[in-house]
């Protein structure tokens, strides 16, 4: 009698131990629980002209007007010239440009998060943006050292549903982790931001003080947190598969192309509908404003299917 | 997508060609011959990139040098060097007059470090008759009563202006009195009664620029004219009002920058954007002749 009972109990104990070990092991793996809303595409392309032709004029107009971008621009007083330049240039094309600073500046206004830690500050900014989104459903996170063309961002996400989790930009891999590089700008749909803000509450998955041991950069931290919610980094591309988000300047990319495609430098370089560039000086950003929004050859018309108007009260675009 | 960035020489009404075909629909005579001042030392480092970019849009292009090569370059019997610049110009114009006069209506001079937007040049030239004695460029005030055009920014002579220049040298009305090419040319043209035309756009903004864009576009506090704007005939504006959307030229543009400007002008654009400056629409501001008194 006793030996039967004894084996039974051993069985239960062993079984229990086994389950415990398995569940402990699976919690260390970086793969999330399966989620039917996963995007495993890895790249997101802008809609082609043919695809857009399937929409009626009325539908296109609605999409055109509905797409609004909330720009989350992370500034610091020590970067004042870039801050001022961004304020005077590309941020004017955001439907809602909001500057979030680490500490107040006497020269320029911003939402003072009063936070020196980069990761904590980013969390606060994202949370604030989510809470103040209003009707806006697309979020563009950037530093003032990045130059963005918001019209091209709108074109990229035109037919994408912001109730789906999108996390786009220049997607790169570091070991097993695929993340969007901060320097190229980070695009989040409303659903992605919603999940992110929720997972901020989870100290295990997404600790507030960051993964201090490994000192992960904010963009990697973001990717880790998002991954727990089933949101994956995707590379933003044009209809030809060219990356739209650049972490380098135009000069730098052209130089690379001169080396790699000497007989076809410009064609082999960047997309005509690029969304971001990075690493330009404040003066170069002013020149970019002219180069993007004004400089053109007389007589070339593109018959684009969308319409975006110049912002009010601006003289450099 | 590809074709939208390729066309050159488009007509007002949007004709997009997949290749570099000439659009024969323009009613105006605006064939442009580009002659580019260069030398053997610069072919690989500068001229090559000009040839790969904007020079393709010239109806005819000639690379003027002291040595004949398969680049191809034209050999003018003049040595390289700043002191010979005006001789080189004189010989170049005589050469063009002798061999290529009927191939074009307008004759653009550029350096191997100039970037030119040919379509915008066509647009400005369409206001003028090439059989009249005109020349255009970035007008400078000093030394010559009617002023002269900056050499660095590039300048354009009408066919009649070219004829008169060459005639001036054959009759002795014009001489090599100085090696300062742009000023000396301006003197000869004044003597031969060639008029300087206003190359600014419908808003009075400059189209020809003797320096790169950052010299002009970057916002500046109100200040007296910096040295590079001292010679301007029309009162220069600093900041975004400096320059026309339909820029014709920038200067001191080397290698990488040639391609950068090509990319910014012909490729990179904001999708769907309705540009502010629409010169074809009515009710434009009248520009005033801003002759500046220093």
């Amino acid at each position: 009698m006793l030996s039967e009972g004894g084996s039974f109990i051993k069985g239960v104990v062993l079984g229990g131990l086994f389950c415990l070990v398995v569940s402990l092991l699976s919690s260390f793996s970086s793969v999330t629980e399966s989620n039917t809303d996963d995007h495993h595409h890895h790249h997101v392309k802008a809609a082609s002209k043919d695809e857009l032709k399937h929409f009626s004029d009325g539908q296109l107009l609605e999409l055109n007007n509905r797409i609004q971008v909330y720009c989350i621009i992370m500034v610091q007083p020590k970067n004042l010239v870039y801050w001022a330049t961004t304020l005077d240039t590309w941020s004017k094309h955001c439907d809602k440009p909001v500057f979030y600073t680490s500490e107040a500046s006497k020269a320029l206004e911003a939402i003072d998060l009063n936070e020196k830690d980069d990761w904590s500050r980013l969390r606060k900014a994202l949370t604030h943006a989510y809470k103040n989104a209003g009707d806006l459903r697309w979020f563009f996170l950037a530093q003032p050292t990045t130059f963005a063309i918001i019209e091209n961002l709108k074109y990229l996400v035109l037919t994408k549903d912001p109730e789906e989790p999108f996390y786009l930009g220049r997607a790169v891999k570091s070991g097993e982790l695929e993340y969007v590089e901060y320097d190229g700008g980070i695009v989040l749909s409303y659903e992605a931001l919603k999940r992110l803000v929720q997972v901020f509450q989870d100290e295990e998955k997404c600790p507030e003080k960051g993964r201090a041991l490994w000192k992960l950069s904010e963009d990697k931290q973001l990717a880790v947190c998002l991954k727990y919610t089933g949101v994956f980094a995707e590379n933003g591309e044009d209809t030809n598969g060219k990356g739209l988000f650049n972490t380098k300047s135009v000069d730098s990319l052209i130089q690379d192309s001169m080396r790699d495609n000497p007989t076809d430098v410009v064609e082999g370089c960047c997309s005509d509908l690029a969304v971001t560039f990075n690493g330009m000086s404040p003066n170069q950003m002013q020149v970019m404003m002219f180069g993007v929004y004004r400089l053109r050859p007389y007589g070339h018309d593109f018959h684009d299917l969308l319409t975006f108007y110049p912002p009010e009260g601006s003289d450099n675009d | 997508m590809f074709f939208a960035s390729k066309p050159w020489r488009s007509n007002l009404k949007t004709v997009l060609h997949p290749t570099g075909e000439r659009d024969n629909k323009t009613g105006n005579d605006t064939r442009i011959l580009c002659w580019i001042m260069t030398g053997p030392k610069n072919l690989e480092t500068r001229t090559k990139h000009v040839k790969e970019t904007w020079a393709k849009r010239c109806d005819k292009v000639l690379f003027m040098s002291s040595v004949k090569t398969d680049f191809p370059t034209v050999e003018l019997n003049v040595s390289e060097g700043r002191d010979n610049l005006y001789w080189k110009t004189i010989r170049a114009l005589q050469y063009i007059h002798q061999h290529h006069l009927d191939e074009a209506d307008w004759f653009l001079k550029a350096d191997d470090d100039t970037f030119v937007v040919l379509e915008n040049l066509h647009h400005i030239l369409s206001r003028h008759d090439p059989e009249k004695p005109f020349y255009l460029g970035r007008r400078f005030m000093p030394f010559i009563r009617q002023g002269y055009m900056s050499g660095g920014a590039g300048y354009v002579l009408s066919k009649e202006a070219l004829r008169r220049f060459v005639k001036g040298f054959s009759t002795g009305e014009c001489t090599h009195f100085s090696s300062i090419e742009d000023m000396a040319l301006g003197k000869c043209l004044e003597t031969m009664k060639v008029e300087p035309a206003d190359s600014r756009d419908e808003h009075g903004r400059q189209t020809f620029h003797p320096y790169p864009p950052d010299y002009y576009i970057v916002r500046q506090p109100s200040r007296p004219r910096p040295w590079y704007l001292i010679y301007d005939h029309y009162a220069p504006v600093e900041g975004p009002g400096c320059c026309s959307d339909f820029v014709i030229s920038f200067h001191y543009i080397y290698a990488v920058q040639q391609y950068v400007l090509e990319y910014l002008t012909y490729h990179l654009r904001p999708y769907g954007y309705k540009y502010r400056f629409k010169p074809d629409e009515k009710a434009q501001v009248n520009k005033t002749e801003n002759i500046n008194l220093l």
Side-chain angles (χ1 to χ4, degrees):
Chain A
M1 253 302 267
L2 201 67
S3 56
E4 281 176 77
S7 338
F8 175 74
I9 296 207
K10 266 189 212 162
V12 168
V13 171
L14 270 172
L17 268 172
F18 179 76
C19 284
L20 192 66
V21 170
V22 166
S23 64
L24 272 173
L25 278 173
S26 67
S27 78
F28 282 136
S29 109
S30 56
V31 180
T32 81
E33 323 90 78
S34 76
N35 189 319
T36 50
D37 290 335
D38 282 357
H39 282 196
H40 276 291
H41 317 132
H42 298 297
H43 62 191
V44 166
K45 281 188 169 175
S48 69
K49 209 155 188 164
D50 287 333
E51 281 163 35
L52 287 181
K53 289 216 168 107
H54 291 310
F55 291 91
S56 72
D57 285 348
Q59 286 171 321
L60 269 181
L61 186 63
E62 227 226 285
L63 285 173
N64 196 148
N65 295 336
R66 205 191 319 156
I67 279 216
Q68 307 222 304
V69 178
Y70 185 127
C71 293
I72 302 165
I73 305 161
M74 306 298 292
V75 297
Q76 293 179 70
K78 69 178 184 187
N79 250 350
L80 201 66
V81 185
Y82 275 107
W83 177 348
T85 304
T86 294
L87 183 63
D88 182 42
T89 59
W90 64 265
S91 70
K92 291 190 274 193
H93 291 249
C94 303
D95 296 281
K96 187 168 173 158
V98 184
F99 290 78
Y100 294 92
T101 182
S102 57
E103 56 182 307
S105 157
K106 292 202 176 86
L108 295 170
E109 275 181 37
I111 294 186
D112 183 6
L113 299 171
N114 198 16
E115 176 64 69
K116 288 283 162 66
D117 180 69
D118 294 337
W119 173 239
S120 296
R121 192 165 73 250
L122 184 56
R123 289 168 58 112
K124 285 186 176 172
L126 289 163
T127 305
H128 181 277
Y130 176 68
K131 291 188 174 147
N132 291 276
D135 291 332
L136 279 66
R137 291 291 172 269
W138 289 99
F139 301 83
F140 177 64
L141 169 66
Q143 293 161 108
T145 41
T146 299
F147 186 95
I149 305 169
I150 300 298
E151 290 79 5
N152 293 345
L153 171 53
K154 290 184 175 183
Y155 181 53
L156 173 64
V157 300
L158 184 71
T159 55
K160 317 291 183 272
D161 183 1
E163 304 296 329
E164 291 279 304
F166 284 98
Y167 162 43
L168 316 169
R170 185 173 146 85
V172 294
K173 234 174 165 167
S174 172
E176 279 305 307
L177 180 71
E178 191 149 10
Y179 68 101
V180 170
E181 287 196 88
Y182 204 171
D183 284 349
I186 301 173
V187 181
L188 294 166
S189 66
Y190 185 77
E191 177 62 23
L193 183 59
K194 180 176 179 184
R195 294 189 193 187
L196 184 59
V197 169
Q198 272 165 8
V199 83
F200 281 161
Q201 310 302 317
D202 190 329
E203 261 301 299
E204 263 185 48
K205 292 180 179 158
C206 194
E208 199 187 328
K209 282 310 163 195
R211 279 146 216 272
L213 253 127
W214 293 279
K215 247 327 185 182
L216 276 184
S217 57
E218 301 108 277
D219 45 10
K220 286 181 182 158
Q221 302 243 41
L222 211 59
V224 171
C225 295
L226 279 165
K227 225 173 167 185
Y228 277 118
T229 71
V231 181
F232 298 89
E234 290 175 294
N235 202 40
E237 296 169 3
D238 68 10
T239 51
N240 300 320
K242 263 193 187 168
L244 293 170
F245 297 84
N246 298 291
T247 51
K248 288 173 151 185
S249 64
V250 177
D251 282 38
S252 183
L253 291 163
I254 289 285
Q255 257 179 305
D256 290 348
S257 193
M258 283 171 77
R259 181 197 62 212
D260 301 332
N261 323 287
T263 52
D264 226 352
V265 177
V266 179
E267 287 294 330
C269 180
C270 349
S271 175
D272 285 16
L273 297 174
V275 178
T276 57
F277 294 98
N278 186 255
M280 299 185 297
S281 71
N283 281 2
Q284 283 176 317
M285 285 171 69
Q286 290 195 51
V287 175
M288 252 323 241
M289 214 49 194
F290 176 74
V292 171
Y293 289 104
R294 294 174 56 199
L295 176 62
R296 61 198 186 281
Y298 184 85
H300 287 211
D301 293 321
F302 291 97
H303 299 310
D304 290 337
L305 298 172
L306 299 180
T307 303
F308 298 116
Y309 291 99
E312 302 260 323
S314 179
D315 66 348
N316 57 358
D317 52 20
Chain B
M1 257 294 285
F2 179 83
F3 68 80
S5 49
K6 273 286 188 182
W8 56 282
R9 235 333 203 69
S10 300
N11 170 306
L12 291 174
K13 297 287 184 247
T14 312
V15 182
L16 303 177
H17 295 291
T19 62
E21 291 154 32
R22 179 105 89 74
D23 172 8
N24 284 317
K25 275 171 149 199
T26 45
N28 302 314
D29 300 320
T30 44
R31 292 170 304 164
I32 300 176
L33 180 151
C34 305
W35 55 281
I36 296 166
M37 297 275 265
T38 187
K41 278 187 303 171
N42 292 345
L43 294 182
E44 272 301 297
T45 50
R46 298 188 191 182
T47 331
K48 181 171 84 168
H49 307 300
V50 163
K51 192 173 171 207
E52 287 293 315
T53 56
W54 64 267
K56 289 182 179 167
R57 301 183 187 98
C58 304
D59 294 282
K60 175 85 192 167
V61 61
L62 297 168
F63 296 98
M64 302 298 192
S65 178
S66 52
V67 180
K68 183 179 163 123
T69 66
D70 290 335
F71 185 84
T73 51
V74 170
E75 178 171 331
L76 303 169
N77 200 3
V78 181
S79 339
E80 302 299 338
R82 212 168 176 79
D83 288 340
N84 292 328
L85 222 49
Y86 192 37
W87 275 123
K88 204 169 168 183
T89 302
I90 296 162
R91 294 287 175 249
L93 286 168
Q94 287 169 334
Y95 176 88
I96 292 167
H97 182 268
Q98 189 178 359
H99 300 280
H100 299 284
L101 189 64
D102 294 324
E103 289 174 55
D105 309 293
W106 298 92
F107 302 85
L108 165 77
K109 176 256 177 174
D111 289 340
D112 52 23
D113 56 358
T114 309
F115 181 83
V116 181
V117 186
L118 264 302
E119 291 86 341
N120 295 342
L121 181 53
H122 277 285
H123 177 57
I124 290 282
L125 292 177
S126 65
R127 307 171 185 165
H128 299 286
D129 180 355
E131 294 299 334
K132 297 244 163 66
F134 275 115
Y135 82 129
L136 287 97
R138 177 79 169 225
R139 195 162 171 191
F140 280 173
M141 290 185 285
F143 317 126
I144 314 289
R145 202 178 339 112
Q146 73 173 15
Y148 63 98
M149 303 305 175
S150 154
Y155 51 75
V156 194
L157 271 62
S158 69
K159 191 188 292 239
E160 180 57 24
L162 172 59
R163 284 192 196 109
R164 291 193 185 194
F165 179 87
V166 170
K167 177 160 175 263
F169 272 88
S170 70
T171 60
E173 284 165 278
C174 295
T175 60
H176 183 278
F177 72 97
S178 163
S179 64
I180 304 173
E181 173 246 348
D182 48 11
M183 188 270 295
L185 183 122
K187 181 70 188 169
C188 176
L189 291 178
E190 182 181 69
T191 303
M192 302 307 293
K193 304 217 182 337
V194 172
E195 276 179 55
D198 186 352
S199 60
R200 294 175 304 164
D201 73 7
E202 290 84 341
H203 279 171
R205 295 178 303 202
Q206 294 276 13
T207 53
F208 289 82
H209 304 279
Y211 289 95
D214 57 307
Y215 276 66
Y216 306 99
I217 283 279
V218 174
R219 291 195 201 274
Q220 303 291 352
S222 212
R223 61 182 188 171
R225 290 200 203 184
W227 61 272
Y228 51 89
L229 293 175
I230 290 275
Y231 282 179
D232 271 354
H233 171 87
Y234 302 107
V237 175
E238 295 204 85
C242 66
C243 315
S244 178
D245 288 21
F246 300 119
V247 155
I248 292 172
S249 71
F250 285 115
H251 183 224
Y252 294 117
I253 306 299
Y254 305 113
V256 177
Q257 290 307 312
Q258 291 278 347
Y259 297 108
V260 168
L261 282 172
E262 176 86 5
Y263 175 66
L264 293 179
T265 309
Y266 293 94
H267 291 257
L268 182 64
R269 65 194 183 81
Y271 189 83
Y273 190 66
K274 292 291 169 217
Y275 298 102
R276 261 186 225 281
F277 180 54
K278 295 176 275 268
D280 297 332
E281 281 180 20
K282 308 210 177 106
Q284 287 296 323
V285 172
N286 285 329
K287 69 176 185 234
T288 52
E289 166 126 344
N290 266 326
I291 300 170
N292 208 8
L293 307 157
L294 250 184

